[in-house]
């Protein structure tokens, strides 16, 4: 069962963006970049570290460095249920 982005954000997840610098497998002096985005939980970042482990185990281009940022889009206290609307002419 997939969880919607809104449900993830209400559960405390935030958008994590990682910029990964890696060396080309055939040309070790050349650095390339890859940008990864996923909803993740701070401060442990389980999905980010799972992806980094996948990269190191399965891909040929060795990582040089990783920069990342995390931002909570909404917090549970910011969500309000609207029970009605008023229309003015």
């Amino acid at each position: 069962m997939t969880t919607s982005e809104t449900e993830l954000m209400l559960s405390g997840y935030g958008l994590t963006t990682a910029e990964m610098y890696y060396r080309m497998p055939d040309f070790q002096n050349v650095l390339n970049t890859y940008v990864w985005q996923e909803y993740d939980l701070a401060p442990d970042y389980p999905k980010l570290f799972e992806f980094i482990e996948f990269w190191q185990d399965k891909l040929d281009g060795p990582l040089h460095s990783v920069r990342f940022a995390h931002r909570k889009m909404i917090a549970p206290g910011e969500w309000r249920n609207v029970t009605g609307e008023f229309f003015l002419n």
Side-chain angles (χ1 to χ4, degrees), residues 20-52:
M20 301 176 182
Y21 293 89
Y22 65 96
R23 297 191 184 279
M24 298 295 291
D26 296 335
F27 304 98
Q28 290 293 313
N29 293 330
V30 177
L31 282 177
N32 205 354
T33 61
Y34 179 80
V35 176
W36 174 89
Q37 276 191 325
E38 185 70 48
Y39 286 98
D40 208 354
L41 280 172
D44 295 332
Y45 304 103
K47 291 186 179 184
L48 173 62
F49 288 117
E50 179 182 326
F51 183 75
I52 290 173

Side-chain angles (χ1 to χ4, degrees), residues 5 8-9 13-16 37-41 47 73:
E5 291 179 3
L8 287 173
M9 287 187 280
Y13 283 76
L15 186 63
T16 302
Q37 276 191 325
E38 185 70 48
Y39 286 98
D40 208 354
L41 280 172
K47 291 186 179 184
M73 306 305 259

Side-chain angles (χ1 to χ4, degrees), residues 21-25 28 31 55-56 59-65:
Y21 293 89
Y22 65 96
R23 297 191 184 279
M24 298 295 291
Q28 290 293 313
L31 282 177
W55 185 296
Q56 291 174 335
L59 301 180
D60 290 334
L63 286 173
H64 175 268
S65 59

Side-chain angles (χ1 to χ4, degrees), residues 56-88:
Q56 291 174 335
D57 292 342
K58 305 288 185 196
L59 301 180
D60 290 334
L63 286 173
H64 175 268
S65 59
V66 176
R67 294 186 332 165
F68 72 96
H70 179 81
R71 167 99 172 138
K72 282 192 173 185
M73 306 305 259
I74 60 173
E78 297 175 13
W79 181 263
R80 294 184 307 161
N81 186 20
V82 177
T83 57
E85 293 182 43
F86 294 101
F87 294 100
L88 300 173

